[in-house]
Amino acid sequence: MYEKEILDNFQEPIILINKEGNILYSNPAFDSYISSFSKNDIINLLKEVLSIRYLEEGLSVKNYLINIGDSYLSVDIYPFKDMYIVLLKDFTRLIKLEEELKKEGTLSAVSKFLIQLFHDIKGPITGIKAAAGFLKENPEDLDLLDDIIYEVNRIQDYINQLSSLSRPLKLNLSYQNIHKLIDEVVKKYESLYINVKFVKLYDPSLPEILIDKEKIISVIENLIKNAIDAVNQKGEITLQTGISFDPVFSPRMNKVSIKIKDSGKGVPQDIVDKIFLPHFTTKESGSGIGLANAYNVVKSHKGVLRYIGDATFEILLPIRIEIESNNI
């Protein structure tokens, strides 16, 4: 067959499978590539391919990312009669290189974080030391005790914020309408910042989701407050909701998307990988804890908090059925 000769000479791995997951044809590139995988890896690969919802509708799928063992594959799938043509591309080296580069950036950010941490704690400690010295010389001046207590509380509050980033959060889960939560936050800020226009683009078909109401409100508050700061309290903030179609984080369309976009300049590309690190901030008076805490809250919900460019942050939260079945 002429077609088979063409496929045999492709440098990329290609297979032809039926709807039951049986391999009907594989080219030499696939046979060579897959030789390092176990039988279970191959089975999982085929199951993952067949689970893609779009295929049931007869649609082609491109650049679908699959993680099998230690490998990352980008897969293109084309329906053909009662079969699927599957083209695989290995992105493992590229992704691991990107991870290494991010680690280098993270180490640099952590070093700066530790320097800033010591600097911030040094202030209250110096205050305590000075007050204690004066108290020793003037034991009748009890007002100095208030200064010491104030500085100790500052350190304690700071440590509590940092420790909350590393310990698992206890969630008080209940079914919530995400639009009502967003409206609750927007209503508060609308009255405080009259020069900020809030635009709501809601998907009314969204189901209620199982979340910790107060913690998710705190995440939304943090992102909206950051957006207000980004437009210098004068601009436009758009809040958009819907089902996520992201091929990596929501391939089964099992997550709700909440996007918060402002009319500011956005996050500079050179710091995008650092914005969720503790104590990283571009604000003179910022602590750098807010986004790190928000990230931790969303992660504890088995969700994703990310910056997607164009001055837009996105929260992805699992739909309740997926949380209950732990299938996310």
Side-chain angles (χ1 to χ4, degrees), residues 46-307:
L46 297 176
K47 283 183 177 179
E48 183 77 12
V49 167
L50 292 173
S51 71
I52 301 173
R53 186 170 177 177
Y54 299 106
L55 297 180
E56 298 175 2
E57 303 169 9
L59 301 175
S60 299
V61 175
K62 293 185 178 181
N63 299 319
Y64 183 88
L65 190 63
I66 296 178
N67 177 216
I68 300 295
D70 294 326
S71 299
Y72 297 89
L73 310 177
S74 175
V75 181
D76 295 345
I77 308 138
Y78 305 93
F80 177 72
K81 296 181 180 179
D82 292 328
M83 300 168 286
Y84 300 113
I85 301 171
V86 183
L87 172 65
L88 291 83
K89 290 167 281 187
D90 193 312
F91 278 78
T92 305
R93 284 187 62 190
L94 181 62
I95 289 177
K96 288 189 175 180
L97 177 61
E98 184 180 5
E99 289 176 350
E100 289 301 316
L101 292 174
K102 285 183 177 180
K103 283 180 183 177
E104 291 181 12
T106 300
L107 287 173
S108 174
V110 168
S111 297
K112 291 179 181 178
F113 158 67
L114 290 174
I115 292 170
Q116 187 64 42
L117 170 64
F118 294 139
H119 177 270
D120 287 354
I121 291 181
K122 183 179 178 181
I125 290 176
T126 301
I128 292 171
K129 184 178 180 180
F134 281 117
L135 185 62
K136 184 177 180 180
E137 299 296 328
N138 305 279
E140 71 284 353
D141 192 352
L142 298 182
D143 288 342
L144 291 170
L145 289 176
D146 293 332
D147 295 336
I148 293 174
I149 293 171
Y150 171 77
E151 298 295 353
V152 168
N153 285 336
R154 279 182 63 193
I155 295 176
Q156 187 175 36
D157 289 343
Y158 193 79
I159 291 173
N160 285 340
Q161 289 184 66
L162 289 174
S163 62
S164 69
L165 299 175
S166 59
R167 63 171 180 258
L169 296 179
K170 293 182 179 179
L171 302 180
N172 181 22
L173 298 174
S174 61
Y175 293 112
Q176 297 292 331
N177 181 319
I178 196 66
H179 298 143
K180 290 183 178 179
L181 301 193
I182 298 173
D183 287 343
E184 184 178 326
V185 178
V186 169
K187 184 178 180 181
K188 179 175 78 172
Y189 285 115
E190 275 181 327
S191 61
L192 293 174
Y193 302 96
I194 59 175
N195 292 321
V196 176
K197 178 183 178 182
F198 290 89
V199 179
K200 301 174 184 177
L201 303 175
Y202 292 168
D203 179 350
S205 68
L206 289 187
E208 290 188 337
I209 54 178
L210 190 60
I211 57 175
D212 186 310
K213 176 182 176 181
E214 297 306 321
K215 286 184 172 59
I216 293 300
I217 283 179
S218 72
V219 171
I220 296 170
E221 283 184 339
N222 183 273
L223 294 178
I224 289 180
K225 185 60 171 68
N226 284 349
I228 292 170
D229 291 341
V231 298
N232 293 318
Q233 302 179 16
K234 186 178 182 180
E236 185 172 289
I237 296 173
T238 302
L239 302 115
Q240 182 176 3
T241 66
I243 295 294
S244 172
F245 294 87
D246 189 282
V248 176
F249 295 108
S250 185
R252 298 182 179 86
M253 293 178 285
N254 58 354
K255 287 185 175 65
V256 165
S257 166
I258 306 158
K259 294 178 182 177
I260 300 175
K261 171 181 170 60
D262 64 66
S263 57
K265 296 180 180 179
V267 179
Q269 189 60 39
D270 60 336
I271 66 169
V272 167
D273 292 335
K274 304 180 182 75
I275 55 177
F276 296 112
L277 291 173
H279 218 298
F280 181 84
T281 181
T282 58
K283 303 175 184 178
E284 291 185 6
S285 60
S287 67
I289 299 297
L291 274 180
N293 269 326
Y295 184 89
N296 196 33
V297 168
V298 175
K299 184 179 179 181
S300 71
H301 282 78
K302 299 183 179 178
V304 176
L305 173 58
R306 59 180 180 164
Y307 178 73

